[in-house]
Amino acid sequence: MTTVEAKPTRQLSYVAAVSEAFAQLMREDPDIFLAGEDVALGGSVFGVSRGLLKEFGPERVIDTPISESGIIGLGLGAAATGLRPIVDIMFMDFMGVCMDEIVNQVAKMKYMFGGKAKLPLTIHTMAGGGGSMAAQHSQSLEAWFCHVPGLKVVMPSGPYEAKGLMVAAVRDDNPVIVINNKVSLRMQADVPEELYEIELGRAHVVRPGTNFTIVAIGRMVPESLKAAEMLAADGLDVEVIDPRTLQPFDTATVVESVRKTHRALVAHEAVRFGGIGAEIAAQIQEEAFDYLDAPVGRVGAPFSPVPFSPPLEKEYIPDAGRVAAEVRRILGKQV
Amino acid sequence: MTTVEAKPTRQLSYVAAVSEAFAQLMREDPDIFLAGEDVALGGSVFGVSRGLLKEFGPERVIDTPISESGIIGLGLGAAATGLRPIVDIMFMDFMGVCMDEIVNQVAKMKYMFGGKAKLPLTIHTMAGGGGSMAAQHSQSLEAWFCHVPGLKVVMPSGPYEAKGLMVAAVRDDNPVIVINNKVSLRMQADVPEELYEIELGRAHVVRPGTNFTIVAIGRMVPESLKAAEMLAADGLDVEVIDPRTLQPFDTATVVESVRKTHRALVAHEAVRFGGIGAEIAAQIQEEAFDYLDAPVGRVGAPFSPVPFSPPLEKEYIPDAGRVAAEVRRILGKQV
Amino acid sequence: MNVSTEALRDMHLRMVRIRTFEEEAGKLMESGRVPGSLHLYVGEEAVAAGVMAHLRDSDQITSTHRGHGHLVAKGGDFKQMYAELFGRSTGYCKGKGGSMHISDLDLGMLGANGIVGAGPPIAIGAAFSNQYRKTDNVTVCFFGDGASNEGTFHEAANMAAVFKLPVVFVCENNGFGEFTRQERHQAIQDVADRASGYGMPGVVVDGMDVMAVYEAAGEAIMRARRGGGPSLLECKTYRFYDHVGIRGLGVAYRDDSEVLEWRKRDPITMFERKLDEEGLLSAGEAAGIHETALAEVREAIAFAEASPFPDASALLEDVYTATD
Amino acid sequence: MNVSTEALRDMHLRMVRIRTFEEEAGKLMESGRVPGSLHLYVGEEAVAAGVMAHLRDSDQITSTHRGHGHLVAKGGDFKQMYAELFGRSTGYCKGKGGSMHISDLDLGMLGANGIVGAGPPIAIGAAFSNQYRKTDNVTVCFFGDGASNEGTFHEAANMAAVFKLPVVFVCENNGFGEFTRQERHQAIQDVADRASGYGMPGVVVDGMDVMAVYEAAGEAIMRARRGGGPSLLECKTYRFYDHVGIRGLGVAYRDDSEVLEWRKRDPITMFERKLDEEGLLSAGEAAGIHETALAEVREAIAFAEASPFPDASALLEDVYTATD
Ligand SMILES: Cc1ncc(C[n+]2csc(CCOP(=O)(O)OP(=O)(O)O)c2C)c(N)n1
Ligand SMILES: Cc1ncc(C[n+]2csc(CCOP(=O)(O)OP(=O)(O)O)c2C)c(N)n1
Ligand SMILES: [Mg+2]
Ligand SMILES: [Mg+2]
């Protein structure tokens, strides 16, 4: 598959980038439909499908009952019989309600059937905290799905990535979980007007640097860029890598960076214990052990559910300050 | 809590150790009941509850409909209102069907309610492959639950651990997921007759050694002991640690060992990518970086669903040979 | 039915307290003084009031994302409720839960819930517990028309019936799941039609008429209390405001005329008219009750805003219970 | 009903082929020659045969853990099926699936499934696809009495009804979920009673009578094909053997007398008697059909056992599709 990373042309918000991807993909391929709770008449509670019902009609933009297992099954059965569905699970926190369908059916059908199935299914969802939505509407659960063979997982960090990764996800002939971020929805960036793909499985060096590698997931990319600026003031030249796809994971790009910088940390919004940062840290020390001058650090949420109260939530969710502090701690340790 | 690790007195199978724990606990505490699919009249498809219906009657040993979400809810609602339920989810693979109840309800109720709830709930299940049960009856999904604040997770490695950890789990005032292993059910070991507890959150050094640390999970404990024997023939003195509890994880015991041996690997049956081994490896390099002479290795299943065909399944599931080979690879690398 | 004046006035009070609580809470959310999103119960008060009038403190309820009304009717304290909405340490959940998880276990309120359909499995657990411990407590499970399409409702209803559990499933059918009208999310008109598929009685009542709710709920709760097993009570009601927050008019998914039609059947106004006609509560008395409720709400808001936010050290507390 | 002799003999053949396949497979499992556990369909053949007689190759089915019978009736090839049970690379799933995941997408068989209740959501997806692509294909979803208590069944049934999908839910009510008798897992006698709660027709038939199944299934499938939406067909049947493997007699959870009573109503024997009486198939002809089936099974077993196991290199194949 060739990746066309087209030239930026205008500013677009993250939310508009997602809905533009949906619309352009649906214009291109009549086998694509979008189904989920309140995606049609309501345009999704996040606005990601606004305007689609009007353009594509109720046959292709479908409001479903509140039945997440049914929704995933709808997508799976349709994908297995020749369509290219996009199904929406409103909040990532609701994935537990349809976990069996995703993990035991969607992910395994191809393998269990000896390869016969082709499953071009995209599961779109929204993750992340920051809006005082408390313990059941704020989680980042990507680690669960990265552990499941048969699934691909992407976590766009901004509008450009949101569009390009969505296009790649929908065009991919495998089940892909696209995890967008609520708080990022209003973020603006240059986004090409045409349909472009960002290749799945390829990390992007967002900011090149020589002294330290930060592997940042999703919303932690802009936060880590801020952290890098803060650290630049200290005279530190930090490289920031956005893996973009978590499964399959682009180990090579990360390892290459660490071999150059000799120090690294992984930053994500998810709970630190058992997060994808653990896997990435484990891989870095496996592949770049002799190059490491310090242990690979991890920044993630502490070990509690997401609290409601704003000051607690602020304390809970990692940000640029915490990332920068962890970089300093790792460097200090080394001294 | 004080731990009474009583003197062994007789050989018991793993399956008998579990059912003895159930029976003795239920004799001790009338607030304990056991509910699940075919646990009463059928004595569980694995035999773990054989005889309980006869002794305790249908009020306390309850066959439920095939409704896993309902079963977890039954346990949660009962625990929140003063009982001490044990609920059974027949195969760990079925946890996806009731994932929301476990992760968003059971794990978070206490926190969301500001601490008011006390939830002495035990969720018992069976994991692991080896019986040609294929992709939906062979998984080890402990990593999912270890990532969820509010849950405790134990994985007994043998009959002694199965009884002692079950007792601790049931007596604990928190939700504990007890993950037993199918293939180990016929394993025999010395098991005390009386009720004894194995403290949750405390690892056990099963075999002391000086050259290498193997952190082995569940059924990988006996396999790793075998591997240690194989390696002893090479003149290598391997330490094997059984964490017993995965959440909370006893980092201290593992780190202490690695500071002594300078090399380590983690072995589990679960898929390697994103398994609990990633977390343990990440912690080891964080806490014992300066002591490590080689990267922390990981042995786990490859990145595919569990295959049915016996030769493929044998290739899939880690065993003593693979553990030993990985130890040798790590040592070789170092030379 | 023969209902004492005291009982009637009690239900009226519950409804007024809910309404007043919600109106002020909604404004606080819209103005940004209260964080997060609130799902208001305005228009549906007769359901909570008519059901809860039959419950004791030792009975339990499970609630939904739209939970304030349930907690108020179950006897929730305004101060601790508002403090929770404001995310303060004096709140029912020490600020950790907020609107969507507001609860008081001591009142048998097993939680508002952010997961649609999460209540029914928990409710049967509490009901099982009551049965196991041979109490005659009852558990009431509130859920919406939208929630009736979740698998959890099905599993819990079936288990309740086969175990003859003392539970009453109360469907608050307000005609919508978010922006999706009932006719677009299910091919039936009465959720109560599902009851026979589990082997339990199903009843439909006018959820704007607190007396109708009171009567039907009384029967169902009494049946459960006496060991007669579960039942399903559907209350046809309407959400005056939006799914989240106040607005509710001028939206794409329903006509204003429909909203205005339903508002003519405001459960509080209708009940006050009736009580006044029967000489059981004068318009003046009613106004006084509204005023008192508003004063209490204002006091609670003042209390909440004067309360401290939780300390950062509270973040990792309450995740686990220390076992002794 | 007017059914051609050809159609009758076709159904008989399907039943005999299932029975023969299962009897031999069961023995192979008991003797350890086939790995894993098999859930045998013996006793329930009339359901698969009576339903599948109406389906084309382009129609889909979803199956259960007890899936051999469905695949045989849908036209599955014995060789590839046995090779799969033996875990060989020539099997339908290249040995990766085994009994519990036996399937052939090309025949519209969307999989046996190890998760009880997993079929219904997948079935509505296939049905949606047929509707979307404006074909007149139909999807049939087989599920058990036990599975009817899973939330997935509920969600799928409701969605099928509200979207008017071309799907038929066929409940194979054999009276047990594993060792749990229906009366202990649900408070209703007819699973078909649940249909009205979704707004679809529900019908009960004698699942030991292939003609009864054929007739009712024909109506339901024709309705779906013509755009009339989903329906629920419950077939009362019985599992002659154990939940897993053969035994079936002398077990704790049911009386032998009950088993023997049902065996008197063996669907194949009854149908053969009827066909013989009506002069449509003589006892001799029937015996020949059994013999042919057995010969085919033996040939398939020989083929399977002579086939190679998958190579270790196959382990990581088929996890993903290469996108071009
Ligand atoms: C499992 C789950 N799916 C979806 C949602 C999003 N959501 C919140 S409220 C709601 C509508 C619920 O409708 P209903 O049950 O009728 O209750 P109402 O809001 O009308 O009171 C939805 C879809 C959720 N919170 N949880
Ligand atoms: C989600 C899930 N729960 C439990 C099981 C274990 N199990 C396998 S078959 C079965 C009984 C199913 O009963 P029914 O649906 O009536 O089908 P039958 O076996 O009678 O054909 C059970 C409980 C499972 N495989 N999946
Ligand atoms: Mg509603
Ligand atoms: Mg059955």
Side-chain angles (χ1 to χ4, degrees):
Chain A
M1 191 179 55
T2 56
T3 299
V4 190
E5 299 213 5
K7 289 274 161 301
T9 50
R10 83 231 128 115
Q11 289 263 313
L12 210 61
S13 70
Y14 193 121
V15 62
V18 175
S19 48
E20 184 170 278
F22 285 150
Q24 292 181 340
L25 285 161
M26 290 180 74
R27 274 173 218 139
E28 179 186 70
D29 183 351
D31 286 341
I32 299 173
F33 69 90
L34 171 68
E37 292 159 17
D38 298 299
V39 296
L41 201 56
S44 119
V45 297
F46 298 105
V48 290
S49 56
R50 206 155 287 161
L52 297 183
L53 175 64
K54 191 152 172 253
E55 178 171 357
F56 300 102
E59 288 78 24
R60 296 184 65 194
V61 186
I62 299 140
D63 280 332
T64 66
I66 312 177
S67 305
E68 286 79 8
S69 296
I71 293 169
I72 301 292
L74 189 81
L76 175 58
T81 54
L83 298 180
R84 191 172 288 275
I86 306 169
V87 294
D88 182 58
I89 299 296
M90 198 184 287
F91 283 76
M92 180 159 218
D93 310 67
F94 309 162
M95 291 268 178
V97 178
C98 49
M99 194 69 180
D100 182 73
E101 280 67 33
I102 299 176
V103 164
N104 280 330
Q105 311 304 327
V106 168
K108 297 182 174 48
M109 185 186 269
K110 182 180 180 69
Y111 191 81
M112 292 188 307
F113 294 1
K116 261 192 187 173
K118 189 179 101 176
L119 300 170
L121 169 64
T122 301
I123 302 176
H124 171 259
T125 195
M126 305 288 313
S132 281
M133 305 206 71
Q136 295 171 338
H137 285 73
S138 307
Q139 294 168 88
S140 296
L141 300 167
E142 62 278 4
W144 288 354
F145 302 98
C146 294
H147 187 43
V148 178
L151 301 177
K152 296 187 179 183
V153 181
V154 307
M155 266 184 106
S157 57
Y160 175 77
E161 290 77 11
K163 181 171 174 184
L165 288 169
M166 181 62 79
V167 174
V170 173
R171 286 185 180 160
D172 197 281
D173 283 341
N174 295 284
V176 185
I177 302 184
V178 177
I179 306 169
N180 281 319
N181 183 284
K182 299 179 201 92
V183 167
S184 304
L185 287 176
R186 274 163 308 176
M187 197 177 163
Q188 300 273 334
D190 285 336
V191 176
E193 283 187 40
E194 69 269 28
L195 263 183
Y196 61 95
E197 271 182 45
I198 294 178
E199 188 182 343
L200 300 187
R202 186 99 78 91
H204 176 60
V205 179
V206 190
R207 183 192 202 278
T210 53
N211 302 142
F212 200 102
T213 302
I214 299 178
V215 182
I217 316 292
R219 198 165 77 74
M220 288 302 111
V221 173
E223 293 296 322
S224 297
L225 288 172
K226 262 189 249 165
E229 288 307 313
M230 291 158 68
L231 294 161
D234 299 8
L236 215 68
D237 186 18
V238 172
E239 179 147 311
V240 178
I241 298 182
D242 175 0
R244 292 178 168 173
T245 309
L246 298 182
Q247 189 57 271
F249 187 77
D250 181 358
T251 306
T253 299
V254 170
V255 167
E256 192 189 329
S257 170
V258 177
R259 288 191 176 163
K260 177 178 69 183
T261 62
H262 308 296
R263 301 168 200 91
L265 70 73
V266 191
H268 55 57
E269 238 196 278
V271 166
R272 188 178 187 276
F273 192 107
I276 188 68
E279 175 63 34
I280 299 172
Q283 289 196 16
I284 291 173
Q285 60 93 37
E286 276 157 13
E287 304 287 326
F289 186 77
D290 294 333
Y291 296 83
L292 279 174
D293 288 344
V296 182
R298 290 183 291 155
V299 173
F303 206 65
S304 82
V306 186
F308 163 72
S309 186
L312 285 187
E313 194 188 24
K314 198 167 162 14
E315 186 75 20
Y316 184 86
I317 300 175
D319 59 11
R322 291 233 319 258
V323 173
E326 181 64 9
V327 172
R328 291 198 186 100
R329 196 191 63 77
I330 291 171
L331 290 171
K333 230 186 167 171
Q334 213 198 326
V335 180
Chain B
M1 192 177 53
T2 55
T3 299
V4 190
E5 298 213 5
K7 289 274 162 301
T9 50
R10 84 228 130 118
Q11 289 261 312
L12 211 61
S13 69
Y14 193 121
V15 62
V18 175
S19 47
E20 183 170 278
F22 285 151
Q24 292 180 340
L25 285 161
M26 290 181 73
R27 275 175 217 138
E28 178 186 73
D29 183 351
D31 286 342
I32 299 175
F33 68 91
L34 171 68
E37 292 159 17
D38 297 298
V39 295
L41 201 56
S44 118
V45 297
F46 299 104
V48 290
S49 56
R50 206 155 286 161
L52 297 183
L53 175 65
K54 192 153 171 250
E55 177 170 358
F56 300 102
E59 288 79 26
R60 295 183 66 194
V61 186
I62 299 139
D63 279 332
T64 66
I66 312 177
S67 306
E68 287 78 7
S69 297
I71 292 169
I72 301 291
L74 189 81
L76 174 59
T81 54
L83 298 181
R84 191 171 289 275
I86 306 170
V87 294
D88 182 58
I89 300 297
M90 198 183 288
F91 284 76
M92 179 160 219
D93 310 67
F94 309 162
M95 291 267 178
V97 179
C98 50
M99 194 70 180
D100 182 73
E101 279 66 34
I102 298 175
V103 164
N104 280 331
Q105 312 304 327
V106 167
K108 296 181 175 47
M109 185 186 268
K110 183 180 179 69
Y111 192 81
M112 292 189 307
F113 293 0
K116 262 191 187 174
K118 189 178 99 175
L119 300 169
L121 170 65
T122 301
I123 302 175
H124 172 259
T125 195
M126 304 288 312
S132 281
M133 305 207 71
Q136 295 172 338
H137 286 72
S138 307
Q139 295 169 84
S140 296
L141 299 167
E142 61 276 5
W144 288 355
F145 302 98
C146 295
H147 187 43
V148 178
L151 301 176
K152 296 187 180 183
V153 181
V154 307
M155 265 182 107
S157 57
Y160 175 79
E161 291 77 10
K163 181 171 173 186
L165 288 168
M166 181 62 80
V167 174
V170 173
R171 286 184 179 161
D172 197 281
D173 283 341
N174 294 284
V176 184
I177 302 184
V178 177
I179 306 168
N180 281 320
N181 184 284
K182 298 178 202 91
V183 166
S184 303
L185 287 176
R186 276 162 307 174
M187 197 175 162
Q188 300 274 336
D190 284 337
V191 176
E193 283 187 40
E194 68 268 29
L195 261 184
Y196 61 95
E197 271 183 45
I198 295 178
E199 187 181 343
L200 301 186
R202 186 99 78 92
H204 177 58
V205 179
V206 189
R207 182 191 203 279
T210 52
N211 302 142
F212 200 102
T213 302
I214 299 177
V215 182
I217 315 294
R219 198 166 77 74
M220 288 302 111
V221 172
E223 293 296 324
S224 297
L225 288 173
K226 263 188 248 166
E229 288 308 313
M230 291 158 69
L231 293 161
D234 300 8
L236 216 67
D237 185 19
V238 172
E239 178 148 313
V240 177
I241 299 182
D242 175 1
R244 292 178 168 177
T245 310
L246 298 181
Q247 187 61 267
F249 187 78
D250 181 357
T251 306
T253 298
V254 171
V255 168
E256 192 190 330
S257 170
V258 178
R259 287 191 177 161
K260 177 178 69 182
T261 61
H262 308 297
R263 301 171 201 87
L265 70 73
V266 191
H268 54 58
E269 237 196 277
V271 166
R272 189 177 186 276
F273 192 108
I276 188 71
E279 175 64 35
I280 299 172
Q283 290 195 16
I284 291 174
Q285 61 92 35
E286 276 157 13
E287 305 286 326
F289 186 77
D290 294 333
Y291 297 83
L292 280 174
D293 287 343
V296 183
R298 290 182 290 156
V299 173
F303 206 66
S304 83
V306 186
F308 163 72
S309 186
L312 285 187
E313 194 188 25
K314 199 166 159 19
E315 185 74 21
Y316 184 86
I317 300 175
D319 59 11
R322 290 231 321 256
V323 172
E326 181 66 8
V327 171
R328 290 197 188 102
R329 198 189 63 77
I330 291 171
L331 290 169
K333 231 186 165 168
Q334 214 197 325
V335 180
Chain C
M1 205 173 39
N2 203 354
V3 187
S4 72
T5 308
E6 199 191 329
L8 295 172
R9 290 175 68 128
D10 169 70
M11 280 190 277
H12 172 260
L13 177 62
R14 289 185 207 239
M15 289 204 283
V16 171
R17 285 174 60 84
I18 296 173
R19 175 70 55 95
T20 316
F21 185 97
E22 291 293 70
E23 293 284 3
E24 297 307 308
K27 286 182 221 155
L28 289 168
M29 177 199 140
E30 300 282 355
S31 69
R33 271 165 77 195
V34 151
S37 9
L38 307 190
H39 302 86
L40 302 175
Y41 198 69
V42 174
E44 313 187 18
E45 295 88 348
V47 183
V51 170
M52 238 68 82
H54 298 282
L55 298 186
R56 324 162 176 157
D57 277 5
S58 59
D59 293 325
Q60 301 96 357
I61 62 168
T62 61
S63 173
T64 67
H65 54 287
R66 202 175 297 290
H68 312 161
H70 302 137
L71 184 48
V72 169
K74 191 83 172 54
D77 171 61
F78 277 6
K79 285 189 180 146
Q80 291 179 74
M81 287 186 71
Y82 265 109
E84 192 54 39
L85 299 192
F86 276 98
R88 307 303 163 109
S89 63
T90 51
Y92 266 126
C93 315
K94 301 184 189 164
K96 289 176 180 173
S99 164
M100 253 191 301
H101 307 296
I102 204 158
S103 82
D104 182 12
L105 278 179
D106 296 335
L107 284 174
M109 157 65 162
L110 299 176
N113 211 309
I115 300 294
V116 168
I122 300 172
I124 62 162
F128 175 87
S129 174
N130 293 330
Q131 186 184 65
Y132 186 94
R133 286 179 292 137
K134 302 194 181 4
T135 73
D136 67 347
N137 292 332
V138 168
T139 307
V140 174
C141 169
F142 292 96
F143 66 105
D145 51 305
S148 75
N149 298 327
E150 287 280 16
T152 46
F153 161 70
H154 178 72
E155 297 190 8
N158 181 65
M159 279 174 79
V162 75
F163 294 155
K164 268 201 153 206
L165 297 179
V167 57
V168 179
F169 296 96
V170 175
C171 181
E172 307 184 303
N173 184 350
N174 60 13
F176 291 88
E178 291 194 347
F179 321 121
T180 303
R181 192 178 284 278
Q182 188 195 357
E183 68 189 46
R184 295 201 303 120
H185 73 61
Q186 51 193 207
I188 52 171
Q189 262 156 19
D190 295 333
V191 174
D193 283 354
R194 294 194 168 161
S196 62
Y198 305 111
M200 64 169 91
V203 171
V204 181
V205 295
D206 177 0
M208 307 309 263
D209 177 355
V210 70
M211 288 304 300
V213 174
Y214 179 82
E215 194 165 337
E219 245 177 72
I221 289 166
M222 194 49 70
R223 177 185 306 113
R225 226 184 266 300
R226 291 189 178 145
S231 48
L232 172 51
L233 171 62
E234 177 181 6
C235 305
K236 305 279 193 189
T237 180
Y238 200 79
R239 147 164 78 63
F240 287 180
Y241 292 153
D242 231 337
H243 174 63
V244 168
I246 293 180
R247 202 161 171 241
L249 285 168
V251 293
Y253 61 94
R254 64 185 193 188
D255 284 345
D256 286 358
S257 61
E258 178 181 291
V259 184
L260 299 173
E261 218 38 62
W262 277 94
R263 285 202 188 164
K264 283 190 198 148
R265 306 197 60 245
D266 185 314
I268 298 180
T269 321
M270 286 203 307
F271 194 47
E272 286 179 351
R273 204 177 299 138
K274 179 187 151 79
L275 291 177
D276 190 18
E277 274 165 24
E278 296 183 8
L280 302 172
L281 185 84
S282 72
E285 282 175 303
I289 288 165
H290 283 268
E291 264 167 47
T292 309
L294 185 59
E296 277 182 59
V297 163
R298 295 221 166 110
E299 200 186 333
I301 293 171
F303 167 82
E305 286 201 295
S307 292
F309 281 108
D311 192 78
S313 66
L315 185 65
L316 293 176
E317 288 167 12
D318 303 320
V319 183
Y320 294 97
T321 303
T323 297
D324 30 45
Chain D
M1 206 174 40
N2 203 354
V3 187
S4 71
T5 308
E6 199 192 326
L8 295 171
R9 292 175 67 128
D10 169 71
M11 280 189 279
H12 173 259
L13 177 62
R14 288 184 208 240
M15 290 203 285
V16 171
R17 285 173 60 83
I18 296 173
R19 175 70 55 94
T20 315
F21 185 96
E22 291 295 70
E23 293 286 2
E24 298 307 309
K27 286 181 223 158
L28 290 168
M29 176 199 140
E30 300 283 354
S31 70
R33 270 164 76 195
V34 150
S37 9
L38 306 189
H39 303 85
L40 302 176
Y41 198 68
V42 174
E44 313 188 19
E45 294 88 348
V47 184
V51 170
M52 238 67 84
H54 298 283
L55 298 186
R56 325 163 176 155
D57 276 5
S58 58
D59 293 325
Q60 302 96 357
I61 62 168
T62 61
S63 173
T64 67
H65 54 288
R66 203 175 297 289
H68 311 161
H70 303 136
L71 183 50
V72 170
K74 190 84 173 54
D77 171 59
F78 277 6
K79 286 190 179 146
Q80 291 178 72
M81 286 186 71
Y82 265 107
E84 191 54 38
L85 299 192
F86 276 98
R88 306 303 163 112
S89 63
T90 51
Y92 266 127
C93 314
K94 301 182 188 163
K96 290 176 180 173
S99 163
M100 253 191 301
H101 307 297
I102 204 158
S103 83
D104 182 13
L105 278 179
D106 296 336
L107 285 174
M109 158 65 162
L110 300 176
N113 212 309
I115 300 295
V116 168
I122 299 172
I124 61 162
F128 175 86
S129 175
N130 293 330
Q131 186 185 64
Y132 187 94
R133 288 179 291 137
K134 302 194 178 14
T135 73
D136 66 349
N137 292 334
V138 167
T139 307
V140 173
C141 169
F142 292 95
F143 67 104
D145 53 305
S148 76
N149 298 327
E150 287 280 14
T152 46
F153 161 71
H154 177 73
E155 297 190 7
N158 181 65
M159 278 173 79
V162 74
F163 294 155
K164 269 200 150 204
L165 297 178
V167 58
V168 178
F169 296 97
V170 175
C171 181
E172 306 184 304
N173 184 350
N174 60 12
F176 291 88
E178 290 194 350
F179 320 120
T180 304
R181 193 178 282 279
Q182 188 194 357
E183 68 190 45
R184 296 201 303 120
H185 72 62
Q186 51 192 206
I188 52 171
Q189 264 155 19
D190 296 333
V191 174
D193 284 354
R194 294 194 168 160
S196 63
Y198 306 110
M200 64 168 91
V203 171
V204 182
V205 295
D206 177 1
M208 306 309 263
D209 176 354
V210 69
M211 288 305 300
V213 174
Y214 180 80
E215 194 166 336
E219 244 178 72
I221 290 167
M222 193 48 71
R223 178 185 306 113
R225 228 185 262 301
R226 290 188 178 145
S231 49
L232 172 50
L233 171 61
E234 176 180 7
C235 305
K236 306 279 194 191
T237 180
Y238 200 79
R239 148 163 79 62
F240 287 180
Y241 292 153
D242 231 337
H243 174 63
V244 169
I246 293 179
R247 203 161 171 241
L249 285 168
V251 294
Y253 62 93
R254 64 185 194 187
D255 284 345
D256 285 358
S257 62
E258 178 181 291
V259 182
L260 298 173
E261 218 35 63
W262 276 93
R263 285 201 188 166
K264 285 192 198 144
R265 306 196 61 244
D266 184 314
I268 297 178
T269 321
M270 287 204 305
F271 195 46
E272 286 179 350
R273 203 177 302 137
K274 182 186 147 81
L275 291 176
D276 190 17
E277 275 165 24
E278 298 183 7
L280 302 172
L281 186 84
S282 71
E285 281 175 304
I289 289 166
H290 283 268
E291 265 166 47
T292 310
L294 186 59
E296 277 182 59
V297 162
R298 295 221 166 113
E299 199 186 334
I301 293 171
F303 167 82
E305 287 201 294
S307 292
F309 281 109
D311 191 80
S313 67
L315 185 65
L316 293 175
E317 288 166 10
D318 303 320
V319 184
Y320 294 98
T321 302
T323 297
D324 30 45

